[in-house]
Amino acid sequence: MSSGPRIGKDEWVAREGEQRERRSGLLGGIARAQARTPWWAFLAVFVVLACLVPVVTSDSYIQRVAFDTTIFMLLALGLNVVVGWGGLLDLGYVAFFGFGAYLYAILGSSQFDIHVPTIVVIPVVTLAGALLGLVVGLPSWRLVGDYLAIVTLFALQIFRSVITNGHDIFGSNVTNGVNGILKVDPLSWFGHALPVSHRGLFNPDYLYVAIGFFVVIYVALRFVNASRTGRAWRALREDPLAATSMGMPIDWLKLMAFAFGAGIAALTGTLTASVNAAVFPDNFDVPQLITIYAMVILGGAGSQAGAIVGAVVVNVMLESLRSPDNSRWVFYIAVLLLLLPVLRSARKYLLLVAATVAFGFAVHAIAGAIDPAWTRGTTPGGGAVGRAIAHWAIVPQSLGSTREASYVLLIAAVLAVVTIRGRWKLVALVPTLYLASFVWENVLGPQPEITRYILLGAILVGVMTTRPAGILGERRVEIV
Amino acid sequence: MTATPTPAGPAGAGAASPTPLLRLDNVDTFYGPIHILQGVTLEVMPGELVSLLGGNASGKSTTLKTALGLVRPRTGTVSIAGEDVTTRTTSYRIAKGLAIVPENRRLFAPMTVLENLEMGAYLHGSPTKEDFERVYTLFPRVYERRSQLAGTLSGGEQQMVAVGRALMCRPRLLLMDEPSMGLAPILVEKSFEIIQQVHEAGVAMLIVEQNANMALSIADRGYVLSTGRIVLQGTAAMLLADDDLKKAYLGR
Ligand SMILES: Nc1ncnc2c1ncn2[C@@H]1O[C@H](COP(=O)(O)OP(=O)(O)OP(=O)(O)O)[C@@H](O)[C@H]1O
Ligand SMILES: [Mg+2]
C-alpha cells in the first residue's frame, strides 16, 4: 500500500506540530519542558519543595495551607481517575471523601468509644470507600453524561441527609447530626499518637504524612494508567461502543474507575478527619465538589500532573484571595488583561490607561473639593498599595445607597461599552474603568469571602477559553 | 479469487459439512418495540468469505451487532464454532475469535495509531511483536504512521488502522461493516485487495457492502437482506447472475 496515492490530512498534521513548536509564552514553555523531563523528576522536585515548607517557614497558617493543598491534590488525583480517565461525570465524589472521614471518626473517637489503630483503620476505610464507589457506580451501566451526573449528585444528597440526620438512626446516635463528631483520634503509629498540634500550632508531621500518601497514590496511579486497564479507560472515554467492540468489559471498567476514585477520596477523608480532630456535615458538600472539579478541569482532565497543578493553583489562589490586598492585585491585573483583546493596539492601550489614571485624579480632586467626606474613607486591606489607591479612587466614609447604585451603574456602563464601536468606545471605557475601581474598593474588596470565588471563576473562564483542555490537558482531536 | 486454505462448502451442504464458525439461527432482533431482524439465519464456514448485501436500513449492521453481542436477539440463537453464545458477552465472543471493523471505523481519534492497535489486543493482555508484525506487513503505511494521532489520518489510512486494530484481536472471523465507505474509487479497489489479503491469511470474513458487484466478485457466498429478512442467498456466481438482484441492487 506504500505506493498508494497520498491522499490525506498530512498538511494539517504538519501545521499542528508547527503550532506546538511555535507556541510561545509561559504555557508553551511549560508544555515543552514537560515533554522533555521525565515525570519522576517533576515529582521529586515537587515533593522536596513541599517538604521544605515547614523548614522555610514556621508560620502555622502557611503550613496548614500546604497540608490542605496536599489534601486537594489527593482529591483531584482521585477525581481525575473517574472524570479524566473514565470519562464518567461523578457529582457524588465528595460523598466518598465524607464517607472516609466519617468512617474514620466513627472507628476512632469517643462517639462509640472505639479506637481502632491507624494501621488498621486506613486500609479498612479505603476499601470500604472503594466498595461504596462500586455501588454508587452501578447506575453508570445504563447512564452516561448528564444523566449519570444527576444520579450521582443524588447519591451525594443521600449521604448528606444521612450524616445530618445521623444522630437518630433507628434510635442510635451514629454521626451526631449537624454538630458533627468531635474528639476524633489523631493518627497513630503502633501506639504512638501523632498529636495534631504542637504547642497550639499545626504539627508539620501531618504534612509529611499527607505528602507520603500523595507520593504513593501518584506513583500507583501512574502505573495503573500505563496498564491495560488504564488504556482501556481511555478507550472507554473516547468511544464506549468501539471499546466494547474490542472486547473490553466496559461495565466493569466503569465500576473500577468509580472504585479507584472513591477509595482515594475515602483515604483522603481519614487525613482530614484526623487533622481536624472532628468531622462536620458541611465539610462535605457541593462547594467542595465544585472546587475539586475546578482543580481537575483547570489543570486538564486526564492529566495527573494537571490535577496537581490545578489543585495548587486553585487552593493557593483561594487562600491568598482572603486578603483584600492580594485580591486587589488580582482584580486590577485581571481587568488590565481583559482589556488586551478589546483594544488590540499597544498605543490605544497605553493611552487608555493614562487617560483613566488622569481622569481618576481629576475626579478625586473635584469630589474632595466639594465634600471632603467623599474621599476620606479607607480602602479594604490597608496595605501600602491600598493607601496609595485611596488618593486616586473615591472611597467615601459612608456609602449609603451608592453601593447598589454603583453596582447597577457599572453593569450598565459595561453593556454600553460593549455595544459602542469605534473611537467612542475608548472614551466610554475611561469612566467605566474608574467606576469599576470604585465598585471594587467600596463594594467587592471589603467582602473577600464572596469576591474570591468571583475572581476564581473569572480566572477559570479566562484560562479555559484560551486553553479549553486545561493547563496541562491534551488537545483533543476529532475525526472529521 | 484465490483458493482458501480451509474447505468451504455452501450453506446447507448437508450434515457432513464442518461446524460453521458463526451461525445465526432464526434470529429476531428488536430495538425497543421496533422489529428489525426477522428470522435471520446465516452461517459462515471457517475460511469462507461471505458478503451480506442489502439496501439502506435493511438491517445489515444490526446483523453484525447481533453476531457480536452488541445487541441481543429476542429469539433465536447465535453460535460460534458450534457453541451457543446467545447469552454471552461481547468480550467472550471476541475471545472466541470474532472481531469487527465497525461502521465508520470508530478509531480512537486522540490516540496514536500504535495505541489504537494496542487497544485491539486488549483481550490478550499485552500485544506481542508478532501481532504488530502481522499488521505492519499487511499495511506498511500503518507502520510509517504509527506515532501519528489516528484522528489526523486520511480516510484510507484510517481504514487500514481499523482493519489492523481488528486483526490485533487475532480473529478467526472478521466482521466488516462497509469497509469501502467514504473511500475514493481507487482506494475502494485497494481496500478489496486488502480484504483478499487478510482472507488469504486464513481469516474468515463476513462483509457488509453497498457495492454489491465488488463484494460478490471476491466472495464465496452471499446473503441479501431486505427489511430485516434474508430474501436471497447462494454462491457469489449465482447471486451475480440473479435478475432480481441485478434490478434491485446492482442498478442494471
Ligand atoms: N439503536 C437503534 N435504535 C433504534 N433503531 C435503530 C437502532 N439502530 C438501528 N436502528 C434502525 O434499524 C434499522 C436497520 O439499521 P441498520 O443499521 O442495521 O441498517 P443497515 O442495513 O446497516 O443500513 P446502512 O446500509 O444504511 O448502514 C434502521 O431502520 C435503523 O433506523
Ligand atoms: Mg449499516
Side-chain angles (χ1 to χ4, degrees):
Chain A
M1 190 77 214
S2 50
S3 60
R6 281 179 64 91
I7 60 159
K9 297 169 192 149
D10 299 346
E11 195 193 330
W12 191 78
V13 178
R15 263 188 282 136
E16 268 281 298
E18 240 172 68
Q19 275 176 6
R20 209 174 311 141
E21 281 310 303
R22 234 186 315 122
R23 196 193 298 152
S24 55
L26 187 64
L27 294 178
I30 291 175
R32 275 193 296 274
Q34 193 207 9
R36 255 183 271 116
T37 323
W39 63 273
W40 46 264
F42 274 110
L43 184 67
V45 169
F46 183 79
V47 165
V48 168
L49 287 179
C51 288
L52 280 179
V53 168
V55 180
V56 174
T57 173
S58 56
D59 187 333
S60 201
Y61 167 72
I62 293 179
Q63 292 177 3
R64 178 62 204 241
V65 170
F67 174 83
D68 289 342
T69 307
T70 314
I71 292 291
F72 275 120
M73 291 181 334
L74 279 164
L75 289 171
L77 279 180
L79 186 63
N80 183 47
V81 175
V82 195
V83 178
W85 293 351
L88 301 160
L89 206 48
D90 172 14
L91 294 187
Y93 185 68
V94 258
F96 304 121
F97 178 41
F99 172 79
Y102 265 89
L103 190 57
Y104 179 88
I106 287 166
L107 294 178
S109 68
S110 41
Q111 181 74 7
F112 293 106
D113 217 9
I114 309 175
H115 299 278
V116 183
T118 303
I119 194 99
V120 177
V121 81
I122 285 189
V124 165
V125 168
T126 307
L127 277 180
L131 282 177
L132 187 67
L134 286 183
V135 175
V136 173
L138 279 176
S140 69
W141 284 8
R142 302 299 301 274
L143 304 173
V144 286
D146 33 12
Y147 296 93
L148 180 63
I150 297 302
V151 170
T152 49
L153 188 61
F154 194 73
L156 170 60
Q157 204 48 43
I158 293 173
F159 170 76
R160 297 245 333 134
S161 65
V162 167
I163 53 173
T164 42
N165 300 304
H167 52 88
D168 186 15
I169 294 181
F170 305 119
S172 65
N173 179 357
V174 180
T175 69
N176 212 19
V178 288
N179 296 325
I181 301 176
L182 305 174
K183 297 222 183 81
V184 175
D185 293 348
L187 295 180
S188 62
W189 182 250
F190 295 110
H192 293 283
L194 197 64
V196 289
S197 62
H198 192 66
R199 287 197 225 110
L201 297 174
F202 174 77
N203 181 356
D205 288 346
Y206 272 82
L207 175 62
Y208 299 132
V209 171
I211 291 172
F213 277 113
F214 162 72
V215 172
V216 170
I217 296 290
Y218 189 95
V219 174
L221 286 181
R222 189 97 207 170
F223 283 112
V224 171
N225 191 30
S227 76
R228 181 165 164 245
T229 303
R231 275 191 271 134
W233 275 334
R234 289 183 69 197
L236 166 69
R237 182 189 63 193
E238 296 311 330
D239 189 339
L241 186 66
T244 316
S245 305
M246 302 291 101
M248 296 172 187
I250 63 166
D251 288 343
W252 178 237
L253 286 169
K254 287 175 179 175
L255 290 193
M256 289 271 282
F258 264 97
F260 263 87
I264 293 169
L267 169 71
T268 314
T270 64
L271 295 178
T272 312
S274 62
V275 83
N276 290 337
V279 285
F280 304 102
D282 280 352
N283 294 349
F284 314 102
D285 204 354
V286 175
Q288 288 82 1
L289 180 72
I290 294 172
T291 310
I292 305 167
Y293 261 93
M295 291 164 173
V296 170
I297 290 168
L298 183 77
S303 155
Q304 275 189 277
I308 308 310
V309 170
V312 173
V313 168
V314 171
N315 196 45
V316 170
M317 189 85 81
L318 279 177
E319 283 303 325
S320 61
L321 290 183
R322 277 181 202 278
S323 136
D325 280 325
N326 291 333
S327 59
R328 173 181 292 113
W329 280 109
V330 177
F331 172 75
Y332 284 107
I333 290 172
V335 168
L336 287 176
L337 286 180
L338 216 69
L339 284 174
L340 277 176
V342 178
L343 290 174
R344 286 203 202 94
S345 117
R347 207 173 53 84
K348 276 190 198 166
Y349 192 79
L350 290 176
L351 191 69
L352 175 69
V353 173
T356 309
V357 170
F359 180 79
F361 280 121
V363 173
H364 190 271
I366 295 169
I370 297 173
D371 184 346
W374 284 358
T375 56
R376 216 184 280 143
T378 48
T379 52
V385 180
R387 281 199 303 278
I389 283 213
H391 294 295
W392 174 73
I394 292 185
V395 187
Q397 252 172 336
S398 64
L399 264 179
S401 59
T402 36
R403 181 196 297 272
E404 289 78 18
S406 66
Y407 219 81
V408 175
L409 204 63
L410 178 62
I411 291 168
V414 169
L415 286 179
V417 165
V418 170
T419 44
I420 297 173
R421 308 238 155 258
R423 185 181 307 149
W424 290 104
K425 190 185 196 107
L426 209 59
V427 175
L429 264 174
V430 173
T432 307
L433 289 179
Y434 191 60
L435 187 60
S437 83
F438 177 85
V439 171
W440 177 262
E441 298 298 344
N442 292 287
V443 187
L444 295 177
Q447 295 166 307
E449 277 310 306
I450 302 170
T451 44
R452 65 191 186 125
Y453 281 101
I454 296 179
L455 279 180
L456 183 70
I459 290 166
L460 210 59
V461 170
V463 172
M464 296 316 287
T465 39
T466 46
R467 267 187 85 78
I471 296 174
L472 296 182
E474 286 172 37
R475 281 194 59 188
R476 296 180 69 87
V477 183
E478 306 290 338
I479 293 186
V480 280
Chain B
M1 189 61 244
T2 18
T4 49
T6 24
S17 67
T19 6
L21 207 42
L22 171 72
R23 181 176 165 82
L24 304 195
D25 195 3
N26 212 3
V27 159
D28 278 50
T29 301
F30 290 71
Y31 287 119
I34 318 164
H35 197 163
I36 307 289
L37 297 187
Q38 308 180 11
V40 168
T41 299
L42 99 167
E43 43 183 49
V44 182
M45 293 293 167
E48 216 182 4
L49 201 164
V50 176
S51 80
L52 181 59
L53 308 171
N56 286 122
S58 56
K60 306 182 298 293
S61 298
T62 308
T63 306
L64 295 194
K65 285 181 191 164
T66 309
L68 201 63
L70 296 174
V71 286
R72 296 281 161 87
R74 197 168 289 178
T75 58
T77 56
V78 178
S79 33
I80 298 176
E83 183 187 345
D84 184 348
V85 295
T86 316
T87 55
R88 297 303 196 133
T89 61
T90 304
S91 304
Y92 184 83
R93 298 179 198 206
I94 289 175
K96 281 275 148 198
L98 250 51
I100 191 167
V101 179
E103 202 169 10
N104 295 324
R105 304 178 191 114
R106 303 195 87 115
L107 293 183
F108 301 109
M111 299 185 203
T112 63
V113 168
L114 192 75
E115 288 171 317
N116 266 276
L117 294 180
E118 281 176 348
M119 295 295 168
Y122 176 81
L123 280 180
H124 339 291
S126 41
T128 61
K129 232 176 133 195
E130 289 79 62
D131 284 326
F132 284 114
E133 234 125 67
R134 194 158 25 130
V135 175
Y136 292 151
T137 30
L138 213 46
F139 313 114
R141 184 64 165 256
V142 169
Y143 179 73
E144 278 168 38
R145 300 268 154 186
R146 64 193 179 284
S147 51
Q148 185 173 333
L149 294 184
T152 66
L153 293 172
S154 82
E157 291 164 342
Q158 286 184 17
Q159 186 59 45
M160 294 178 214
V161 177
V163 175
R165 184 178 67 173
L167 289 178
M168 295 296 283
C169 299
R170 298 180 195 160
R172 287 193 284 169
L173 168 62
L174 189 58
L175 312 174
M176 287 195 152
D177 202 340
E178 309 209 15
S180 68
M181 193 203 266
L183 297 185
I186 317 172
L187 282 189
V188 173
E189 267 171 49
K190 278 278 176 204
S191 83
F192 276 94
E193 274 172 34
I194 289 168
I195 291 169
Q196 273 180 301
Q197 266 176 293
V198 175
H199 181 217
E200 278 159 26
V203 181
M205 301 226 195
L206 178 59
I207 298 177
V208 165
E209 255 303 330
Q210 297 282 355
N211 193 334
N213 249 334
M214 198 75 116
L216 287 175
S217 71
I218 59 165
D220 298 320
R221 288 188 303 114
Y223 292 88
V224 180
L225 265 178
S226 175
T227 55
R229 289 172 199 280
I230 303 265
V231 290
L232 211 57
Q233 57 178 304
T235 61
M238 227 170 87
L239 290 178
L240 273 170
D242 189 282
D243 284 335
D244 287 344
L245 184 69
K246 271 185 200 164
K247 263 194 229 108
Y249 299 110
L250 306 184
R252 281 190 268 143

